[in-house]
Every structure is written in C-alpha cells, then in structure tokens.
Amino acid sequence: MSEKIRVIVADDEALVRAALVTMVTSRPDMTVVGEAASGPQAVRCAQTQRSDVVLMDVRMPGGDGITATAQLRALPVPPQVLVLTTFDLDDYVFAALEAGAAGFLLKDTDPERLFHAIRAVAAGEGMLAPTVTKRLIDRTRERAAAARSNAAVARLEELTAREAEVLDAIAQGMSNDGIARALFVSEGTVKTHVSRILAKLELENRVQAALLFRDSRH
C-alpha cells in the first residue's frame, strides 16, 4: 500500500476541527499528523511534523490563514495548502491563491469532493470550488486586459500629438482621404503620418494599429 497523505487540520473552532479530523482519518489513504487553532500554530506544526497538505481556515483569532499560507509555502519542504472556509469572498479567494494556496473550498463542500481535493493538491494539482472558478477566470481576464492596456498606453506615448490624432482616426475606420479632410491636411501628409506611426510602433498595418489603440482605451 502506498504511503498515506499526511494532513494538518487548522481551524479555530474545536468542533469543526474535530469533525474534519474524523472525516480525514476515515479515509484509508489519509492520516492527520497535527491540529492547529490558528495560523501560527499551523506553521509551527508543519515545522515539526512532516505533512503533505494543510487544511487551512481563513479567519482565526490567533492568526489568519492567509499569512500562514504564505509562511507555509516558504518552508524548505512546503506542504500544499487547501483553504477551507465559510467565507466565499473574492478578497479571501485571491489573497489565498496569491499566498500560494493550491485550492479553495467552502466548508459546505461534499465530503467526497473534499477527499478528492486533498488527493489532488497532494499530487500537485489545483482545486477550486465551482463558484470560485468562473470568478477567477474573469479576474485573470481583467488583469490580462489591464496589462495589455498599460503596455499599449506606454507604446503610444512615442507618438506626437498629430500622430495620435491620426491613429485615433485610423481606429475609427477612416480612410486616408477622410482623415485628410477631417484634419485639414493633404492626403500625402496623412500617408506620411501613417507610415511614421507604423514604424514607431513596429506594426505592419492599419489593423494592428487600430487594435493597439483599442487596447489603450480599455
């Protein structure tokens, strides 16, 4: 038989902690090697007891689980952290994941799903509550869009005020003739501006220029 998954249970509520211990030890492939009523206790326990997974509550009076998660992940041989909490709040979710947690589940999670999550994070995989997954994807997309926007804005700072006006017009789908009439310049002048814009931004065509401008406005 393969070695059991070693689990530390960290929760400030004694009844909840006892219930989790009972559940985990009921599985033939798992064993509880330590209990903690606060984040600091969980860290101390992990420093003395070799463990694979820490079931971590978030809000504990003696020291929060987010800080403890970061400290656990900084250990020389860090256990995986599976956050198990009552609070389905974005701030907790993203703070826990950024601290290094491998998973985030709610305390009303079905026992079998909890066991599956423990096995998954012990194997180096991630596990999120279904309600969290979509929000995480949305947040990731938002951050990616913000990064693209910041990068685009920085690139457009290379343009002169007139070139920026021309790029704005390009993004609106205007032709060189239309831009010339709108800005009261010759079509040849517009062509020169367009060429300089593409060269400065290292772009191949007007479509790429329009997309970059769009990104800068998000």
Side-chain angles (χ1 to χ4, degrees), residues 160 162-163 166 188-198:
T160 65
R162 175 60 85 181
E163 288 167 349
V166 172
T189 298
V190 173
K191 289 180 179 179
T192 299
H193 285 311
V194 172
S195 296
R196 287 176 178 171
I197 290 169
L198 296 180

Side-chain angles (χ1 to χ4, degrees), residues 15-16 51 65 151:
L15 287 177
V16 173
S51 58

Side-chain angles (χ1 to χ4, degrees), residues 4-18:
K4 291 185 177 183
I5 299 171
R6 299 173 297 273
V7 180
I8 292 174
V9 178
D11 197 297
D12 64 302
E13 294 187 40
L15 287 177
V16 173
R17 192 167 65 249

Side-chain angles (χ1 to χ4, degrees), residues 122-160:
E125 302 173 10
M127 179 61 63
L128 294 176
T131 56
V132 170
T133 303
K134 183 179 183 302
R135 298 207 308 272
L136 181 61
I137 292 172
D138 290 342
R139 174 66 71 89
T140 301
R141 286 174 175 167
E142 289 172 2
R143 289 184 173 181
R148 287 197 305 272
S149 178
N150 292 336
V153 169
R155 291 178 68 184
L156 296 189
E157 288 178 352
E158 301 178 32
L159 303 181
T160 65

Side-chain angles (χ1 to χ4, degrees), residues 5 29-30 52-53 80-82 102-103 105 112-128:
I5 299 171
D29 61 335
M30 300 177 190
D52 302 303
V53 178
Q80 298 292 338
V81 178
L82 177 58
L105 294 178
E112 288 303 321
R113 182 172 179 79
L114 173 61
F115 300 144
H116 174 68
I118 292 173
R119 295 183 185 106
V121 299
E125 302 173 10
M127 179 61 63
L128 294 176

